[in-house]
Amino acid sequence: MSFLASIDAALAAFANFVWGTPLLVLLVGGGLALLIYSRGRPYRHLGHSIDLLRGVYDDPKDPGQVPHRQALSTALSGTLGLGNIAGVAIAISTGGPGAIFWMWVTALVGVATKFYTASLAVMFRGRDAAGELQGGPMYVIREGLGKKWMPLALLFAVAGLCGMLPVFQSNQTVQLLRESFAVPLGWVPADGSLLFDFATGLVIAAAAAVVIAGRIQRIGKFAVRIVPGMVLFYLALTLMVIGYFWQQVPAALALIFSDAFNGEAVAGGALGAVIATGISRGAFSNEAGIGTESLAHGAAKTREPIREGVVAMLGPIIDTLIICTCTALVILLTGVWQQADGIAGVTLTANAFSEVFGHWGPVLLLLMVLPLAFSTIVTFWYYGVKCFVFLFGSRWQGLYTAIYILLIVIGAVASLNAVNSIIIGMYAIMAIPTMTSTLLLARHVNRAAHDYFVKMAADEKAGLKDPA
């Protein structure tokens, strides 16, 4: 076995270890506990999030950095795109169709999880080394649980630095560009070109540097312009494919449910592999309980933590229940998943679109992937730099940015297996402090939610708009 192959194997073993049964219980069991503890109250107020996103309750004097809709768009830009396209393809190719069911499970309980984590991110904001008000799991732990819990905060920040690498997005974007344009046009051979990958990585890195220079304000404005349009565009593409195979939709859904509990579509028939794959990819897709969403929602301009919690609840619904389901149906209905051996990530999804749109399939997919993958790259920089500043202060954040830009280029030519294992493993580590602190502080959210929703109901009855 070569040195690189040994590294790949070691990283894969690490990812499999940390995504063992204890973590699955913490994420899904913890989310279910939060759902029960809340008595389902957040689910009953999903409609309130629409008014919040429309800006009905916005006040420019509120503390924070971006409006509710920009905070949600930033959070979604960190999850939508390759997590929904390449991530779903990886889930099906490694865990079978049943993995999608377990992705749904993470989303259903993730709605409650995100309500609590985003509410806490605003409720327990803290000052960073530069004196700027920040939100995120490390600040929730420091401000809400006290300094004796600081090792847990440091664990999240360290894992966040490693998990928020741009290499996966860079790797898969370059792969799709190469296979959709460069190879068909004869620019590079079918087995790829290191020079093409490197040059493309440089272009993406340069563009990211321009957006990153504007920090969260520019990232929020960029995300709110890009994300909604790309979601609608992708939904239109997938619905066309689903409509083309509409007669086979019931059978595809039945396959997802049946395979979720028997694992027959997976090599060796290991049911545990189906569940672990579905939950890990679901967590990578919607990030409920991981803590990255708190980094974005903690920047929202609001004095009411519950408002941001209600807005954050839309994330798993849009991300996993809608977008991931559409991607999964496209892959299953076209049958490409049955020839998935040796086909990595986004290429499998591109092949599925080719079944209906011919050579235009990957091109149409690329039009959606490029802006969303790019928005994820710049959003991950924001997440990473918050972790870096928490650990090392603001003096050296320029060094972090330079390294981050360099990693975009490295990701363009890196091994997908190694990249995937590192990020998936770090996501698991981040979930430990996030879910632990959320469960310990959940009572504060329940109390605030009761007061907020009771006052909102009273104000609505009195004909008032704003419950604040």
Side-chain angles (χ1 to χ4, degrees):
M1 183 182 290
S2 68
F3 177 69
L4 291 178
S6 299
I7 292 177
D8 281 358
L11 290 173
F14 162 71
N16 290 332
F17 172 76
V18 292
W19 277 104
T21 301
L23 187 73
L24 303 185
V25 171
L26 179 63
L27 274 177
V28 179
L32 185 60
L34 292 171
L35 171 58
I36 295 170
Y37 187 48
S38 70
R39 298 178 181 176
R41 170 175 263 168
Y43 292 75
R44 289 177 266 153
H45 294 280
L46 274 170
H48 181 47
S49 61
I50 305 303
D51 283 340
L52 290 167
L53 292 176
R54 288 173 49 224
V56 173
Y57 298 88
D58 284 358
D59 185 346
K61 297 180 182 178
D62 281 346
Q65 297 161 305
V66 293
H68 290 294
R69 59 184 177 276
Q70 289 188 20
L72 177 62
S73 294
T74 300
L76 284 174
S77 72
T79 59
L80 289 173
L82 288 167
N84 308 88
I85 299 169
V88 172
I90 292 171
I92 293 175
S93 61
T94 59
I100 303 303
F101 174 85
W102 296 105
M103 290 182 74
W104 292 340
V105 170
T106 67
L108 290 172
V109 300
V111 170
T113 303
K114 282 214 175 185
F115 172 73
Y116 279 89
T117 55
S119 296
L120 288 170
V122 176
M123 189 178 294
F124 292 106
R125 286 195 275 212
R127 300 285 175 181
D128 63 14
E132 195 171 355
L133 197 62
Q134 300 284 4
M138 56 278 202
Y139 293 101
V140 169
I141 293 167
R142 189 185 72 185
E143 305 297 324
L145 294 176
K147 292 190 176 180
K148 66 179 181 179
W149 291 88
M150 274 299 286
L152 211 58
L154 295 173
L155 177 64
F156 177 87
V158 171
L161 274 181
C162 300
M164 296 297 103
L165 301 175
V167 284
F168 179 77
Q169 285 71 27
S170 175
N171 181 286
Q172 292 285 272
T173 302
V174 170
Q175 180 181 323
L176 188 58
L177 273 167
R178 182 177 65 246
E179 296 181 5
S180 298
F181 279 104
V183 172
L185 292 174
W187 295 350
V188 299
D191 58 352
S193 166
L194 189 63
L195 179 60
F196 173 83
D197 293 353
F198 180 75
T200 306
L202 281 177
V203 173
I204 296 173
V210 173
V211 178
I212 284 170
R215 300 179 63 78
I216 182 59
Q217 289 81 4
R218 186 177 295 175
I219 293 171
K221 290 177 182 178
F222 176 80
V224 82
R225 290 170 182 164
I226 292 296
V227 171
M230 290 301 99
V231 168
L232 293 175
F233 176 68
Y234 186 65
L235 283 177
L237 287 181
T238 55
L239 289 175
M240 288 173 69
V241 177
I242 294 168
Y244 186 82
F245 293 98
W246 68 272
Q247 292 177 311
Q248 300 172 36
V249 171
L253 293 173
L255 178 62
I256 291 173
F257 281 100
S258 64
D259 188 56
F261 298 98
N262 61 39
E264 290 178 1
V266 187
L271 178 58
V274 181
I275 298 173
T277 299
I279 293 177
S280 64
R281 298 315 308 187
F284 182 52
S285 169
N286 59 55
E287 300 183 10
I290 303 300
T292 52
E293 74 285 352
S294 299
L295 296 168
H297 289 293
K301 292 180 70 68
T302 183
R303 297 180 187 279
E304 289 285 353
I306 301 304
R307 287 183 182 166
E308 197 55 30
V310 172
V311 169
M313 288 164 52
L314 290 175
I317 295 173
I318 296 170
D319 183 279
T320 306
L321 294 181
I322 297 176
I323 304 296
C324 285
T325 300
C326 287
T327 301
L329 286 175
V330 167
I331 292 172
L332 295 177
L333 290 171
T334 56
V336 297
W337 69 279
Q338 294 172 315
Q339 294 87 39
D341 289 344
I343 301 177
V346 72
T347 302
L348 185 63
T349 310
N351 290 350
F353 278 98
S354 295
E355 292 293 314
V356 175
F357 298 108
H359 69 277
W360 286 104
V363 176
L364 292 171
L365 183 63
L366 182 66
L367 292 177
M368 183 266 187
V369 166
L370 270 181
L372 281 184
F374 181 75
S375 67
T376 302
I377 287 172
V378 296
T379 297
F380 275 14
W381 167 84
Y382 172 66
Y383 293 165
V385 82
K386 288 184 74 168
C387 293
F388 183 89
V389 170
F390 184 82
L391 290 169
F392 306 110
S394 57
R395 182 179 180 183
W396 301 103
Q397 73 179 61
L399 174 64
Y400 170 80
T401 300
I403 295 173
Y404 188 88
I405 296 298
L406 177 63
L407 284 172
I408 296 175
V409 182
I410 293 174
V413 297
S415 160
L416 175 59
N417 291 333
V419 164
N420 194 45
S421 296
I422 291 172
I423 294 176
I424 284 292
M426 289 300 107
Y427 266 54
I429 300 299
M430 285 189 284
I432 297 171
T434 299
M435 288 302 296
T436 301
S437 60
T438 300
L439 291 167
L440 290 173
L441 295 169
R443 66 186 186 279
H444 297 287
V445 177
N446 269 21
R447 192 179 306 120
H450 174 271
D451 295 342
Y452 179 81
F453 289 127
V454 166
K455 191 173 190 305
M456 186 176 75
D459 287 346
E460 286 177 352
K461 189 175 182 180
L464 299 176
K465 181 184 294 184
D466 193 337

